[in-house]
Amino acid sequence: MADLEADLVIALRRAMHYLTRDDLARICNADPVQICEAVSSLLERGYRIEEIPGEGYRLIDLPEIIDDVSIKTLLRAEFIGREILTFRSVTSTNDVAFALGRSGAINGTVVVADEQKRGRGRLGRSWHSPAGCGLWFSILLRPDLSLPDSSTISLASALAVAETLVEEFGIRAEIKWPNDVVVNGRKICGILTEAECVGERVEFVVVGIGINVLNTKDDFPPEITSATSVMIESGVRASRGRLLSRVLEKFEREYMRLCNDGFSSIRPRLIGITTVLGKMVRIRSGSKEIEGMALDIDHSGSLLVRTENGVTLRITVGEVVRVE
Ligand code: BT5
């Protein structure tokens, strides 16, 4: 049914004029009764479809809810989002994607939720994911990459989000290595990449992406002091479905480059949009804190930092806790 609904919405979006039930039945390879049922179901879910007796149907607008039909209608990707599962509320989309990964779900499966009850950040931290505000989603990937190379998938996703925000809304989004997207130092997007491995082999990777979209300043709890959203930065009430589609399309291109041509193929653009380079930073890496000048991102995605005593360190895992 969901596929028929998606085909029907695609047909109505493409049409320059009203389409009758028989037209739709022919285009969608269904019978007129099924078309009626699909239209009713879409109307119930918030699609605005106008019916003029004797003329047919016309699509006026997609719903603001995030649902699989509207995303499938908007998405122009090869394999990312071929399977999309949408939920009203979950603990964490990464948990759902992990369970799907273990039960054999296909490469590129996307899990989206309107709300996460236990959204996760890195190192046991939490991610604030209220209903109606953001894009909380996870992408299941089955890459043919080693575990160290898989860590560059996080960088590719940060690049996809940052560039989409710049292109779609003119927001000055930058990457805070390795995987925060910030605007003037305020976090607009966080990424949590987790992998399931058997020995050295990567079984699958789950890239969890949280983007604050419609949040106002009052939507953030007081303990989150340095957050922002698409709405705060651009004043635009963005459609979450459209933004998700653009991010997934861009992510697919970056991911394909990574798999086919290696990290070097995305490195120059990543460097161009990374905020910490050329600045004094403090980095927490495991139990250590390192201070120095952030010099470069090397060919494996690691951050090169020159410390006070002139030694250049290569940081593979860590987070920037201060930038000057
Ligand atoms: C992250 O962790 O930034 C990774 C966040 C990943 C979230 C996505 S949503 C979809 C998928 N499902 C999940 O359960 N997770 C992923 P980290 O670098 O550890 O940052 C966490 C810190 O960011 C918190 O301790 C807060 O200070 C802050 N924070 C929490 N929620 C925020 C929000 N909505 N916007 C900005 N900052 C936030």
Side-chain angles (χ1 to χ4, degrees):
M1 185 61 176
D3 282 342
L4 171 58
E5 288 172 14
D7 289 346
L8 196 151
V9 175
I10 291 170
L12 289 173
R13 267 166 63 87
R14 284 191 186 140
M16 307 299 287
H17 47 82
Y18 286 83
L19 290 177
T20 65
R21 200 168 305 160
D22 289 338
D23 292 336
L24 284 166
R26 196 172 20 80
I27 298 169
C28 301
N29 211 4
D31 66 57
V33 177
Q34 288 173 311
I35 296 295
C36 275
E37 285 168 0
V39 170
S40 304
S41 156
L42 289 166
L43 286 170
E44 268 169 33
R45 298 213 319 272
Y47 284 78
R48 291 179 54 216
I49 298 170
E50 181 187 38
E51 184 184 1
I52 297 209
E55 297 250 19
Y57 298 100
R58 185 171 70 99
L59 178 69
I60 299 175
D61 211 352
L62 299 173
E64 182 20 51
I65 52 157
I66 304 176
D67 79 340
D68 52 346
V69 172
S70 68
I71 300 166
K72 275 190 183 144
T73 315
L74 296 164
L75 185 64
R76 285 183 293 274
E78 295 272 317
F79 70 95
I80 299 284
R82 217 162 17 183
E83 272 306 327
I84 297 181
L85 287 97
T86 53
F87 297 89
R88 217 176 51 71
S89 184
V90 292
T91 52
S92 150
T93 54
N94 267 35
D95 294 347
V96 177
F98 240 82
L100 288 168
R102 288 188 180 133
S103 60
I106 57 168
N107 186 30
T109 300
V110 173
V111 178
V112 196
D114 188 40
E115 175 192 45
Q116 296 186 117
K117 293 282 192 200
R118 284 201 299 279
R120 293 191 280 116
R122 290 175 295 165
L123 306 168
R125 291 184 290 240
S126 65
W127 182 259
H128 180 62
S129 330
C133 282
L135 266 177
W136 326 125
F137 64 102
S138 301
I139 311 167
L140 173 75
L141 299 163
R142 298 188 180 276
D144 192 12
L145 295 171
S146 67
L147 188 56
D149 287 343
S150 294
S151 67
T152 57
I153 298 175
S154 260
L155 295 169
S157 35
L159 179 63
V161 173
E163 285 193 345
T164 304
L165 295 179
V166 173
E167 287 164 16
E168 296 284 318
F169 305 102
I171 294 176
R172 291 170 55 85
E174 295 178 299
I175 296 170
K176 188 167 132 214
W177 184 93
N179 48 13
D180 286 348
V181 180
V182 296
V183 186
N184 294 321
R186 291 181 180 276
K187 191 152 160 172
I188 198 163
C189 164
I191 296 166
L192 173 69
T193 304
E194 299 174 304
E196 170 106 325
C197 298
V198 176
E200 292 286 287
R201 203 182 70 239
V202 177
E203 281 287 302
F204 60 82
V205 170
V206 170
V207 184
I209 302 182
I211 308 176
N212 300 321
V213 184
L214 299 169
N215 320 52
T216 62
K217 286 196 176 118
D218 296 339
D219 287 325
F220 294 106
E223 65 274 16
I224 300 179
T225 50
S226 192
T228 191
S229 72
V230 172
M231 172 101 132
I232 295 169
E233 295 302 327
S234 67
V236 173
R237 265 199 84 77
S239 146
R240 287 178 294 165
R242 284 198 177 87
L243 176 56
L244 175 62
S245 308
R246 295 295 89 79
V247 171
L248 292 177
E249 286 159 10
K250 202 171 226 335
F251 173 74
E252 181 176 90
R253 288 197 290 277
E254 304 310 341
Y255 177 70
M256 294 300 288
R257 286 196 180 107
L258 206 60
C259 294
N260 295 333
D261 307 316
F263 178 65
S264 307
S265 62
I266 65 165
R267 181 172 164 265
R269 280 168 38 239
L270 190 86
I271 287 174
I273 203 165
T274 294
T275 158
V276 296
L277 299 180
K279 296 191 182 137
M280 291 300 293
V281 292
R282 180 184 290 172
I283 308 224
R284 197 175 292 143
S285 180
S287 56
K288 281 194 245 152
E289 289 223 342
I290 299 149
E291 265 191 25
M293 169 75 77
L295 297 177
D296 201 359
I297 293 171
D298 75 4
H299 285 273
S300 65
S302 304
L303 188 68
L304 302 182
V305 176
R306 192 173 56 227
T307 61
E308 238 182 5
N309 47 19
V311 179
T312 299
L313 299 176
R314 190 169 158 259
I315 321 250
T316 324
V317 184
E319 60 182 325
V320 177
V321 288
R322 207 183 69 212
V323 187
E324 276 166 14

